[in-house]
């Protein structure tokens, strides 16, 4: 059984808004994309690339995502997304591939781009007529650091 086109579009919009809100530092708006009882499981990079740190509930998740405020520039590029019917009525599952850029000035004055090639494994749940993230696990496939010649923050 597959998801209908309307649900596929809504879920695609949901994950795109997550990335956009992250890049705009709209942390409260990011938090609203989760269900009240959502679970977010993140890696502890660079030491652990698998999801090991668990945050529960919209309030705790929003507080955790506020770490983005300390990064001058980010750019989350969605590289692929697949959505399937969930295991329970009113749910869906998804896998999102993303390349996340994090620009920051180093102590020596140079600017670097910390790039995470990552995947999100998601469970979504209908909240009324709105799809929200009920569970999101992030895995990092690789990390690289690139020099930056110029950035918007200058």
């Amino acid at each position: 059984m597959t998801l209908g086109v309307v649900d596929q579009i809504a879920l695609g919009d949901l994950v795109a808004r997550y990335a956009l809100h992250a890049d705009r530092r709209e942390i409260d708006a990011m938090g609203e994309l989760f269900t009240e009882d959502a679970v977010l499981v993140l890696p502890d990079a660079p030491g652990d690339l698998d999801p090991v740190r668990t945050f529960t509930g919209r309030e705790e998740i929003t507080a955790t995502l506020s770490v983005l405020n300390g990064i001058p520039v980010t750019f989350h590029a969605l590289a692929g997304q697949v959505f399937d019917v969930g295991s329970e009525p009113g749910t869906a599952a998804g896998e999102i591939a993303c390349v996340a850029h994090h620009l920051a000035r180093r102590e020596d004055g140079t600017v670097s781009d910390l790039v995470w090639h990552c995947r999100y494994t998601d469970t979504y749940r209908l909240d009324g007529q709105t799809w929200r993230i009920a569970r999101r696990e992030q895995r990092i496939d690789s990390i690289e650091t690139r020099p930056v010649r110029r950035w918007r923050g200058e």
Side-chain angles (χ1 to χ4, degrees):
M1 188 168 179
T2 60
L3 285 169
V5 173
V6 172
D7 290 325
Q8 293 264 352
I9 291 170
L11 290 168
D13 184 68
L14 173 65
V15 298
R17 286 184 186 281
Y18 180 92
L20 179 64
H21 292 322
D23 292 340
R24 290 183 174 174
R25 303 302 181 276
E26 298 167 346
I27 306 304
D28 289 339
M30 285 179 79
E32 288 297 317
L33 300 176
F34 289 86
T35 61
E36 283 288 341
D37 61 345
V39 175
L40 176 64
V41 190
L42 300 174
D44 192 11
D48 202 330
L49 304 182
D50 290 320
V52 295
R53 298 182 308 134
T54 302
F55 305 92
T56 304
R58 186 183 288 161
E59 186 175 319
E60 187 173 280
I61 290 169
T62 301
T64 298
L65 294 174
S66 68
V67 71
L68 288 167
N69 288 325
I71 304 169
V73 177
T74 60
F75 181 79
H76 291 77
L78 301 179
Q81 56 192 29
V82 176
F83 304 109
D84 293 305
V85 172
S87 60
E88 299 176 17
T91 66
E95 183 159 332
I96 312 304
C98 177
V99 179
H101 298 266
H102 310 83
L103 277 64
R105 187 169 305 279
R106 293 178 166 197
E107 290 181 19
D108 66 3
T110 63
V111 177
S112 66
D113 180 7
L114 179 65
V115 184
W116 289 3
H117 299 267
C118 57
R119 297 183 183 278
Y120 297 100
T121 303
D122 293 341
T123 302
Y124 312 101
R125 188 169 63 227
L126 276 172
D127 183 5
Q129 298 297 312
T130 304
W131 284 104
R132 296 192 193 281
I133 301 167
R135 182 178 182 88
R136 172 164 266 202
E137 294 183 7
Q138 182 186 36
R139 287 170 178 75
I140 301 173
D141 292 329
S142 65
I143 299 174
E144 60 181 302
T145 304
R146 302 176 182 172
V148 175
R149 183 180 353 172
R150 187 165 183 220
W151 66 330
R152 183 180 68 225
E154 293 183 316

